[in-house]
Amino acid sequence: MRDVAVVGVGQIKVSEHWERPLREMAVDAAMRAVIDANNIELKDIDMLVVGNMLGEITDTQAHLGALIADYLGIDGIEAYRVEAACGSGAAAFRAAYMAVAGGFADIALVIGVEQQTNVFFSDITLGLAMAADAEYEILHGASFLALNALLKKLYLDKYSDVSEEDLAMFPVIAHENAVHNIYAMYRYKINVSKVINSPYVAYPIRLFETAPISDGAAAVILAPLEDAKKYTDTPVIVKASEVSTDRIYLASRDDILLPKAIRISTEKALRRARVERKDIDFFELHDAYSIMAALSLEASGFAEPGSAPKMATEGAYHIGGDLPILTMGGLKARGHPVGATGVYQIVESVIQLRGDAGKSQVDGAEVGMAQNVGGVATTVITTILARGD
Amino acid sequence: MRDVAVVGVGQIKVSEHWERPLREMAVDAAMRAVIDANNIELKDIDMLVVGNMLGEITDTQAHLGALIADYLGIDGIEAYRVEAACGSGAAAFRAAYMAVAGGFADIALVIGVEQQTNVFFSDITLGLAMAADAEYEILHGASFLALNALLKKLYLDKYSDVSEEDLAMFPVIAHENAVHNIYAMYRYKINVSKVINSPYVAYPIRLFETAPISDGAAAVILAPLEDAKKYTDTPVIVKASEVSTDRIYLASRDDILLPKAIRISTEKALRRARVERKDIDFFELHDAYSIMAALSLEASGFAEPGSAPKMATEGAYHIGGDLPILTMGGLKARGHPVGATGVYQIVESVIQLRGDAGKSQVDGAEVGMAQNVGGVATTVITTILARGD
């Protein structure tokens, strides 16, 4: 098994790109990654893995591996799509990482892409609900938003010292950091009052606690670490990429507020990477809803159950704090183009570890963790990356 | 990189299972594979890869990796879905194979599953068309069947000595072999006259040249070869599993009648397996339409262009012939539950190589090849398997 490095990254601005076909966004992000890597041309790529959830719903299109390889002009290569709901991007990364580590591919391209704004809102709501259990949840009208609302309600009931204001710090942090990210959808600051005075979209979740419906594409290029210096001066090592799952039907879980897929994938990743929690310099977590940000921190073992919102209020998660999170805006402010999100998280982590994050830079960042969540913490992929120079 | 073996296989009868939920079919096939393997229990499985194309359309359900892991009672493990249109099954196998070979998983379960008969025919027709190019083909009303019809028309025009009767031999062979397969959908013989007198479904393709809309699930368990004898007396070695793609929009291809994804994936597989064409004892090809059977044989280099139908008529492809194909019925008679088909092909190949194929047995079979096709030969996965004892 070879060590693997990220040698090129690319992304387009997350936005409402309803005028841009999915395939065009994917090719745009991929070309940026190819340009970012030195001495790699399209013809050198021998594998493509695409992360996407909603292609059938939004573009009447399956078979995105071959489609995007074709539109990149590299048809002939190995290509397919990996799907794990909103975790599709990092799951695709995981598949490509294994291929390079095992010697099955030398230069692998991972593209996360999602187009959501070109269809009616009701179609997207149904599409996203397909991350949940169709027969036991969707059938009863439980949208994905509704399931997260139940989670927030349970959390606030259980931890009565947590206020809405505390939880509202997660979107505040996200927006604060997005200001400096030219690829972010919402580049403006908000405050706690803005969050807790925004309307409910599904009680008790308020509008400013939710990541926006958005379009985007991000790409990374993987190569064996031993060759990485040929392609970049600042290789970033993939120390771990580990997946775990939980029961899909929420009512069947033992402890819905400490999702085991988060815990297990984090523990596997730390073990594989041979690092400890204190070594993690920043954490790109999956704040599709602010409740999910809290659960990620707590189930990952970075905060005691019920304590993450209070720690957010106390400043632990700002850039400069103990564990900076959402350093370029997170899902809330960078945007959440579902199947692309996991790849955006990795792209942003790589930029941090290269020291190229500008005003978002975490000082001396050497090890970063990205955690991509499919469903209500049903599939969780935890990736640990480290400076390779 | 470790050698990998198939140590357990399971399948359910391909049929119209409109009363059975997708998840239940998947669990049924998986449990049969677990029972087939000695000394493997569910708790030993550390990875699940699901091959499925149409879950969103037929079951309003994405996220099948986590869903099926949950319903198997092994939530917590690594799981996701791989999609490559009708090639999803073998693409899922490829991903799991790489994981075991690279040391990322020790016992990996691959499930191919598809439910098609529980929705309206028009929905399935649209769903299957998503294997093609939505913006350039589907938009013009080109169903998947229509695209294959164009291919047959081109083939008959180019090779004027090929008769409809010659091409009709492929379904005849499939039905002949399905008689002995208890898991096949259509277990009766047909003759050439039956095929060429059946009605056109899309000129010039006739009803009896098409694989049926059907439901099913198949599963295999992979383990490192060095451990294989613990789990089975008859391990089957995965000698190669290689993927290639072609341009998705048919009109943009150089030579539509010699699909390069078939050629490249076959050549890569033969090279990786270190075997020659003459060493292949049987070939489970992808006869979704009889024209595709001919193209598979020709582009794979087992027949000169334009000659496969005539060779079929001359008996080359019957059991006992030079290169038996479709030994348990193929897509035409066993049935074609899209994302499950690639796994069925591998299950059947394993049964042949174990010498357990009964009246369908190819005498002395030591090396077999299975080829799963996504789209109109757009993604092609070629798997070479060999007796491991």
Side-chain angles (χ1 to χ4, degrees):
Chain A
M1 200 166 86
R2 309 188 281 195
D3 283 326
V4 177
V6 178
V7 299
V9 297
Q11 59 184 319
I12 66 170
K13 182 174 160 67
V14 180
S15 185
E16 296 191 10
H17 292 299
W18 45 265
E19 82 290 3
R20 297 186 76 181
L22 182 152
R23 64 184 75 181
E24 200 226 89
M25 293 193 292
V27 165
D28 192 343
M31 288 309 301
R32 290 166 190 247
V34 169
I35 290 166
D36 180 59
N38 300 324
N39 307 313
I40 288 183
E41 295 174 50
L42 281 170
K43 68 174 175 46
D44 301 321
I45 296 167
D46 49 16
M47 179 187 214
L48 167 66
V49 187
V50 175
N52 171 270
M53 179 185 181
L54 298 165
E56 290 86 354
I57 311 298
T58 61
D59 288 69
T60 325
Q61 184 70 66
H63 212 172
L64 289 174
L67 178 89
I68 294 170
D70 182 355
Y71 275 76
L72 273 168
I74 52 173
D75 51 290
I77 67 162
E78 172 168 5
Y80 31 75
R81 166 210 198 189
V82 169
E83 185 268 321
C86 321
S88 299
F93 178 88
R94 161 75 169 164
Y97 161 68
M98 290 193 295
V100 176
F104 291 98
D106 288 321
I107 306 287
L109 173 64
V110 183
I111 304 176
V113 61
E114 205 79 62
Q115 168 61 267
Q116 296 190 84
T117 65
N118 63 345
V119 293
F120 290 116
F121 189 75
S122 54
D123 290 334
I124 284 298
T125 300
L126 180 59
L128 292 171
M130 293 182 195
D133 189 325
E135 296 194 16
Y136 291 84
E137 293 173 324
I138 299 180
L139 202 63
H140 299 286
S143 70
F144 197 62
L145 171 61
L147 293 171
N148 278 276
L150 292 170
L151 214 58
K152 182 178 173 189
K153 181 73 170 71
L154 282 169
Y155 189 92
L156 291 175
D157 285 354
K158 178 165 183 182
Y159 304 114
S160 52
D161 58 324
V162 174
S163 66
E164 272 224 81
E165 283 81 355
D166 294 332
L167 267 173
M169 278 309 293
F170 292 110
V172 170
I173 294 169
H175 276 259
E176 192 170 299
N177 294 340
V179 171
H180 308 299
N181 179 5
I182 60 168
Y183 301 104
M185 186 161 177
Y186 296 138
R187 299 180 60 195
Y188 54 84
K189 290 191 185 190
I190 58 173
N191 57 27
V192 166
S193 159
K194 173 90 174 173
V195 178
I196 65 166
N197 288 307
S198 64
Y200 288 122
V201 286
Y203 178 83
I205 289 183
R206 294 176 186 274
L207 180 62
F208 266 80
E209 287 185 294
T210 68
I213 300 290
S214 41
D215 311 320
V220 303
I221 297 175
L222 296 173
L225 179 62
E226 62 198 23
D227 302 333
K229 282 281 186 180
K230 286 194 275 185
Y231 309 127
T232 177
D233 296 332
T234 50
V236 167
I237 306 174
V238 184
K239 303 289 282 187
S241 161
E242 296 288 338
V243 187
S244 178
T245 51
D246 200 343
R247 302 201 70 168
I248 191 166
Y249 176 40
L250 296 192
S252 67
R253 293 188 188 172
D254 292 332
D255 187 347
I256 203 174
L257 295 180
L258 278 175
K260 74 174 178 189
I262 295 178
R263 178 175 53 79
I264 295 174
S265 76
T266 303
E267 280 169 6
K268 279 163 74 177
L270 291 169
R271 208 159 47 233
R272 170 84 66 171
R274 297 169 193 272
V275 298
E276 295 177 47
R277 286 181 183 80
K278 67 175 172 49
D279 302 321
I280 303 293
D281 297 312
F282 61 89
F283 183 15
E284 296 302 333
L285 52 77
H286 191 97
D287 59 323
Y289 303 96
S290 43
I291 181 65
M292 193 51 69
L295 296 191
S296 285
L297 285 159
E298 294 171 9
S300 287
F302 289 102
E304 291 298 312
S307 73
K310 200 65 78 185
M311 287 174 69
T313 298
E314 290 164 1
Y317 306 131
H318 286 77
I319 290 177
D322 291 345
L323 181 67
I325 64 170
L326 314 171
T327 64
M328 296 189 196
L331 284 59
K332 172 63 190 83
R334 177 238 295 127
H336 179 29
V338 187
T341 290
V343 184
Y344 273 100
Q345 292 177 314
I346 291 167
V347 167
E348 292 170 352
S349 301
V350 168
I351 291 170
Q352 279 287 355
L353 293 166
R354 285 178 177 177
D356 288 345
K359 290 185 178 170
S360 297
Q361 185 64 46
V362 174
D363 268 356
E366 300 213 334
V367 181
M369 184 162 127
Q371 190 170 75
N372 188 199
V373 169
V376 184
T378 309
T379 301
V380 180
I381 306 99
T382 304
T383 309
I384 297 178
L385 300 158
R387 287 178 71 96
D389 52 354
Chain B
M1 200 167 87
R2 309 188 281 195
D3 282 327
V4 176
V6 178
V7 299
V9 298
Q11 58 184 322
I12 66 169
K13 182 175 161 70
V14 180
S15 185
E16 296 190 11
H17 292 300
W18 45 265
E19 82 289 1
R20 296 186 76 182
L22 181 152
R23 65 184 74 184
E24 198 225 271
M25 293 194 292
V27 166
D28 192 344
M31 289 309 302
R32 289 165 191 246
V34 169
I35 291 165
D36 180 59
N38 300 326
N39 308 314
I40 287 184
E41 297 174 50
L42 281 170
K43 68 173 175 49
D44 302 321
I45 295 168
D46 48 17
M47 179 189 213
L48 167 65
V49 188
V50 174
N52 171 268
M53 178 183 181
L54 298 165
E56 289 87 354
I57 312 297
T58 61
D59 288 69
T60 325
Q61 184 71 64
H63 213 172
L64 289 174
L67 178 89
I68 295 170
D70 181 356
Y71 276 77
L72 272 166
I74 52 173
D75 52 292
I77 67 162
E78 171 169 4
Y80 30 76
R81 165 211 198 189
V82 170
E83 184 267 323
C86 321
S88 300
F93 178 86
R94 161 74 169 165
Y97 161 67
M98 290 193 294
V100 177
F104 291 97
D106 287 322
I107 306 286
L109 173 64
V110 183
I111 305 176
V113 61
E114 204 81 63
Q115 168 62 267
Q116 296 190 86
T117 64
N118 62 345
V119 293
F120 290 116
F121 189 75
S122 54
D123 289 333
I124 283 299
T125 301
L126 179 60
L128 292 171
M130 294 183 195
D133 189 325
E135 297 195 14
Y136 291 85
E137 293 173 324
I138 299 179
L139 203 62
H140 299 286
S143 71
F144 197 62
L145 172 59
L147 292 171
N148 278 275
L150 292 170
L151 214 59
K152 182 179 174 188
K153 180 74 171 68
L154 281 168
Y155 189 93
L156 292 175
D157 285 353
K158 178 166 183 182
Y159 305 114
S160 52
D161 58 323
V162 174
S163 67
E164 273 224 81
E165 283 82 354
D166 294 332
L167 267 172
M169 278 307 294
F170 292 111
V172 169
I173 293 168
H175 276 260
E176 194 170 298
N177 293 340
V179 170
H180 309 298
N181 179 5
I182 60 168
Y183 301 104
M185 186 161 178
Y186 296 138
R187 299 181 59 195
Y188 54 84
K189 289 191 188 192
I190 58 172
N191 57 25
V192 166
S193 159
K194 174 91 174 174
V195 177
I196 65 166
N197 288 309
S198 64
Y200 288 121
V201 285
Y203 177 83
I205 290 183
R206 294 175 185 275
L207 180 63
F208 266 81
E209 287 185 294
T210 68
I213 300 289
S214 41
D215 310 320
V220 303
I221 296 174
L222 296 173
L225 179 61
E226 62 198 24
D227 302 332
K229 283 281 186 180
K230 284 194 276 184
Y231 309 127
T232 177
D233 296 332
T234 51
V236 167
I237 306 173
V238 185
K239 302 290 280 186
S241 161
E242 295 288 337
V243 186
S244 178
T245 50
D246 200 344
R247 302 200 70 168
I248 191 166
Y249 176 40
L250 296 193
S252 66
R253 291 188 189 171
D254 293 333
D255 187 348
I256 202 173
L257 295 179
L258 278 174
K260 74 173 177 188
I262 296 177
R263 177 175 55 76
I264 295 174
S265 77
T266 304
E267 281 169 6
K268 279 163 75 177
L270 291 168
R271 209 159 47 232
R272 170 85 65 173
R274 297 170 191 267
V275 299
E276 296 176 44
R277 286 181 182 79
K278 67 175 171 49
D279 301 321
I280 303 293
D281 296 314
F282 61 89
F283 183 15
E284 296 302 333
L285 52 78
H286 192 97
D287 59 324
Y289 303 96
S290 43
I291 181 63
M292 194 51 68
L295 296 191
S296 285
L297 285 158
E298 294 171 10
S300 287
F302 289 102
E304 291 297 313
S307 74
K310 198 68 78 183
M311 288 174 68
T313 299
E314 289 164 0
Y317 306 130
H318 285 78
I319 289 175
D322 291 346
L323 181 67
I325 63 171
L326 314 171
T327 64
M328 296 186 196
L331 283 59
K332 172 64 191 83
R334 176 239 295 127
H336 179 28
V338 186
T341 290
V343 184
Y344 272 100
Q345 290 177 315
I346 291 167
V347 167
E348 292 171 352
S349 300
V350 168
I351 292 170
Q352 278 287 355
L353 292 166
R354 285 177 177 176
D356 288 344
K359 289 185 177 171
S360 297
Q361 185 64 45
V362 174
D363 266 357
E366 301 213 333
V367 182
M369 183 161 126
Q371 190 169 74
N372 188 198
V373 169
V376 185
T378 309
T379 302
V380 179
I381 306 99
T382 304
T383 309
I384 297 179
L385 299 158
R387 287 179 69 98
D389 52 355

